[in-house]
Amino acid sequence: MSQDIRLDVSYAEKFVTEPEAEGMKPVVLAAQKTLLEKTGPGAEFTGWVNLPETYDREEFSRIKKAAEKIRDESRILVVTGVGGSYLGARAAIEFLSKGRGESGLRVLYAGSSLNPDQMNDLLDELEGTDFSVNIISKSGTTTEPAIAFRILKALLEERYGKKGAADRIYATTDKKKGTLKELADAEGYETFVVPDDIGGRYSVLSAVGLLPIASAGGDIDALMQGAGRMAEICQSDDPEKNPALLYALYRCALEKKGMEVEVLSNYDANLHQICEWWKQLFGESLGKEHQGLFPAGMDLTTDLHSMGQYIQDGRRNLIETVLDVKNAGRDIRVPEVPGNADGLQYLNGRSLNEINHKAMEGSIIAHAEGGVPVMRIELDRRDEDSLGQLFCFFEYACGICGYANGVNPFDQPGVEFYKRNMFRLLGKPGYENK
Ligand code: PA5
């Protein structure tokens, strides 16, 4: 079991005065109460709040069995979905350094774009390799995954026959309704449920995330344990004991002071997809009624050599939140060599994890001195327990921020606008005059 995650706000404190923090406290406490008591707008989509406790145990063991079967039968699993139906699984699998073939199974992704080259590249990868497909769509009608699934289904049927294909397709969708559910029932696919009371971007700890994570070899028991512990911590009304509340308090106070952008930085490329998942969670939940911090991500130290200049010295409208994983999965030391031809003698024999952390500390100090409020989320290590905590921490913080801003953090009316135009341009029946 990993240590519980912590939030360090010492480099943000000087940007929020005591009266400002005190003034924001009752606002976030009221927002937390609304979330926990399920009395706010969108309350019918807050099933994720209790999920680590209430999840369906029967389905959970079915997920483990299906994961084993997928690993036994296939060398590749194609996770097919978009937005909340894909980002969490990918974030988890990459965070855990899984899905690259070490457990015998590679995980590839489809249905998150409409790009034909990407689809063709995937089909090339599948050539001559046994594969299974997990199609994930709550509505069952989302264009990108629906098209990708049609292509993958045809390939499976051509290769394994209709029955053999059905045996390799796993559908994660609504319990009762929708096109995908109907198709799955008609064709005999094994199905898993996106719970009615959980929207896509809050669904990673349901079958949506769990089946791909377990298939990739992730320990989903430990994941749920970590999430369960964090969910308990998130019940506290003391920001000193509840990091989600403290994070929400600072974010909201800083937004109120005119900050417009939040950059989530990582110092480990395995967290890149966590930033992508977080961007959706916070962007789609809070970007409403002309409010919300614009969520951006940075991979450091890489981006210090590109975006570092802007962070240090550009417009002073941004805050930074750093994901700090204390222990590297596999550390390595700088080789000890005589002399100082490359100017690195002072680093002889030092651990790369230590050097990376010194770069992190140096950047945090520099950014804060340059006028950027910095918060740091500290994780023990990249394991399932820490990951479960992290998912839960961000989901609670996001729900609290939404209610504190007076918006519904569980809907996404804005994403319908582009679809209307796209469907009209593609000639979809019913959209002629939209
Ligand atoms: O968070 C959300 O609600 C969205 O990102 C959806 O997950 C995404 O649009 C995919 O929807 P569906 O699962 O219905 O295909």
Side-chain angles (χ1 to χ4, degrees), residues 209-246:
L210 294 179
L211 179 59
I213 296 168
S215 301
D219 177 349
I220 56 174
D221 287 297
L223 184 78
M224 295 309 274
Q225 268 159 27
R229 241 176 30 261
M230 182 50 65
E232 263 173 47
I233 291 171
C234 287
Q235 311 298 310
S236 166
D237 61 3
D238 180 355
E240 295 306 316
K241 295 191 181 133
N242 178 347
L245 199 56
L246 187 62

Side-chain angles (χ1 to χ4, degrees), residues 82-85 136-140 142 145 199-201 280 284 412 419:
V82 70
S85 285
I136 310 167
S137 179
K138 185 171 184 174
S139 63
T142 308
R201 60 191 177 274
Q280 186 204 2
E284 208 170 25
Q412 53 284 329
K419 290 185 191 168

Side-chain angles (χ1 to χ4, degrees), residues 254-314:
L254 289 161
E255 184 177 353
K256 196 166 172 212
K257 290 191 82 164
M259 293 297 171
E260 293 172 317
V261 179
E262 180 178 12
V263 178
L264 186 67
S265 304
N266 70 75
Y267 284 75
D268 175 343
N270 292 298
L271 272 67
H272 175 82
Q273 291 293 334
I274 292 282
C275 289
E276 296 303 305
W277 171 82
W278 169 88
K279 275 159 61 180
Q280 186 204 2
L281 181 66
F282 280 78
E284 208 170 25
S285 299
L286 307 181
K288 285 165 196 169
E289 299 178 26
H290 299 180
Q291 295 187 75
L293 295 167
F294 180 84
M298 285 205 308
D299 297 329
L300 306 180
T301 58
T302 313
D303 293 343
L304 287 176
H305 301 267
S306 54
M307 296 307 291
Q309 171 62 36
Y310 194 104
I311 304 295
Q312 190 64 42
D313 210 18

